[in-house]
Amino acid sequence: MILSKRIISFALSALPMFAMTISAQSDGYSFLNIPMSSHVFGLGGNNIAVIDDDVTLADQNPALIGPELDMQAAVSYMYYMSSGNFAGFRFGTGAGEHSGWGIGLRYLNYGTFDGYDEFGTPTGSFSPNDVIIEGYYARDISSRWRGGASIKMIYSGYERHEAFAIAADLGVNYYDDEKDLSFSVVLKNMGGQVKRFSDRYVRLPFDIQIGYMQSIGSSPFQVSITANNLTRWNIPYYSYNKDSDDEVLKEKRSFISNLFRHLVFGLQYQPSEKFYIDLAYNYKTHSDMTSLNNTFLSGFSLGAGFKTKGFYVGAAYAMPHKSVSSVMLNLCCSIGELMH
């Protein structure tokens, strides 16, 4: 197999660190599912119904931004497992009494790798990267319903191979502030490649997601459930048989396993609008890492955030593998609030 084939195969599996997170129905571009929000990362990496005045939520559901944003700018940084370093910038603001818009840039770098030709001769090092330029718009449909849309321009550069794709998200959110109940539906990553790595067409990870989040009575606790990968029921995973010395990966699938691999569960403690702590469990992350010697903590994530006048700071942590961790940091500044 020649070098280009090796690199393309390597890239489209989103590098070894992403091999276990690619959606079963897609060929690649799994990096589109990595959140920019530490609030979302703490809630399992996928939450389309969390309500907060935070422009970084837009990539989860464009209907989560709106007129409440007051010229808000945000920066994000994520150390992803062994060598990934991701950064992003986003700006959003209200547009009248019933709408809002935002723009953003995400840069994902996966570290440095050694290249070789088909004869095994070193060709030098290279750093694969992806860049996403995005725009968002949302508008109130009624007093409780809001709809939103986004457009994403996606560039990928892996060694000397390049690709370009365009994707769009459509989302709606229902929010009852009296019951503190939020419900969302999102169609994610609709689109395709404009420029290919090679003759092979690579599909985007199109997904339909449903999210729910609500307070538990009058307590400061909120529960959330996010259903994803709804375009396909069967999402098998592979693991070693721990009861034998057989090192061959076995496919695992059952009704209960498939059900829970579609769901992300979160619990949030929010005693005031200025502070929160969240904990989540993503069974798919846990089971995906089974073949890579996961830990008890695989699938769990923890996050926290606080606000002061004009500023918001958030952080989240996850340990999907026993030897690696992921950390995400957010810093938001509400320029309009500081000017008041």
Side-chain angles (χ1 to χ4, degrees):
M1 183 179 295
I2 63 173
L3 174 63
S4 61
K5 294 292 185 180
R6 289 178 177 175
I7 292 177
I8 292 172
S9 175
F10 154 80
L12 298 184
S13 64
L15 312 177
M17 70 181 77
F18 297 112
M20 296 300 169
T21 62
I22 296 178
S23 299
Q25 73 275 25
S26 69
D27 293 328
Y29 288 94
S30 62
F31 57 84
L32 292 173
N33 296 323
I34 299 173
M36 184 177 172
S37 166
S38 61
H39 198 163
V40 169
F41 190 60
L43 285 169
N46 185 197
N47 192 301
I48 63 172
V50 59
I51 301 298
D52 198 0
D53 298 342
D54 184 355
V55 69
T56 65
L57 298 174
D59 62 79
Q60 293 294 296
N61 181 359
L64 295 180
I65 65 171
E68 64 276 3
L69 296 181
D70 196 0
M71 291 175 35
Q72 187 178 110
V75 292
S76 299
Y77 171 76
M78 185 179 191
Y79 172 75
Y80 195 79
M81 297 180 72
S82 61
S83 59
N85 289 278
F86 309 152
F89 170 80
R90 189 163 290 159
F91 175 84
T93 188
E97 297 181 357
H98 299 288
S99 60
W101 61 271
I103 56 174
L105 172 69
R106 284 185 272 172
Y107 174 75
L108 303 92
N109 182 278
Y110 308 105
T112 302
F113 298 85
D114 295 326
Y116 299 87
D117 63 17
E118 63 270 31
F119 304 108
T121 304
T123 59
S125 60
F126 63 99
S127 296
N129 61 83
D130 297 294
V131 178
I132 307 170
I133 300 174
E134 48 205 339
Y136 305 91
Y137 179 78
R139 184 172 179 82
D140 294 334
I141 301 171
S142 67
S143 60
R144 292 182 175 175
W145 284 94
R146 178 180 295 173
S150 70
I151 185 73
K152 294 175 278 193
M153 308 293 179
I154 308 152
Y155 166 82
S156 299
Y158 304 142
E159 211 249 2
R160 64 176 180 271
H161 303 278
E162 297 179 329
F164 181 75
I166 299 176
D169 298 347
L170 294 176
V172 293
N173 172 257
Y174 171 86
Y175 180 60
D176 185 340
D177 59 348
E178 295 179 358
K179 298 180 180 180
D180 194 24
L181 182 154
S182 176
F183 173 80
S184 293
V185 178
V186 181
L187 305 180
K188 282 193 172 181
N189 301 319
M190 299 178 291
Q193 281 187 311
V194 177
K195 178 182 178 181
R196 307 178 186 183
F197 288 105
S198 64
D199 293 336
R200 177 178 173 235
Y201 180 79
V202 181
R203 294 177 297 166
L204 272 62
F206 170 69
D207 195 11
I208 300 173
Q209 300 181 355
I210 299 174
Y212 162 83
M213 190 165 186
Q214 186 175 16
S215 292
I216 303 175
S218 58
S219 75
F221 290 94
Q222 298 168 302
V223 294
S224 71
I225 302 175
T226 304
N228 54 35
N229 291 311
L230 297 184
T231 58
R232 180 172 179 171
W233 168 250
N234 289 313
I235 314 178
Y237 68 98
Y238 300 84
S239 68
Y240 295 109
N241 187 350
K242 297 181 180 180
D243 297 326
S244 71
D245 295 329
D246 186 3
E247 295 186 355
V248 178
L249 288 171
K250 304 293 185 181
E251 181 180 300
K252 305 288 186 178
R253 71 164 74 199
S254 67
F255 176 84
I256 296 298
S257 173
N258 271 318
L259 174 63
F260 281 94
R261 281 170 63 79
H262 285 281
L263 303 175
V264 180
F265 300 93
L267 176 65
Q268 179 167 280
Y269 172 69
Q270 189 173 24
S272 73
E273 294 183 354
K274 297 184 179 298
F275 176 73
Y276 72 84
I277 297 176
D278 48 41
L279 174 70
Y281 181 68
N282 187 326
Y283 175 71
K284 185 176 186 300
T285 298
H286 179 85
S287 55
D288 283 343
M289 287 294 169
T290 298
S291 62
L292 297 177
N293 296 320
N294 64 345
T295 71
F296 171 78
L297 296 176
S298 295
F300 284 98
S301 56
L302 178 68
F306 68 91
K307 297 180 180 179
T308 61
K309 180 176 174 57
F311 288 95
Y312 159 69
V313 178
Y317 173 83
M319 187 179 179
H321 185 272
K322 67 178 183 179
S323 61
V324 293
S325 300
S326 296
V327 178
M328 188 169 200
L329 303 173
N330 279 159
L331 175 61
C332 299
C333 175
S334 179
I335 302 171
E337 186 176 347
L338 291 174
M339 294 173 62
H340 293 163

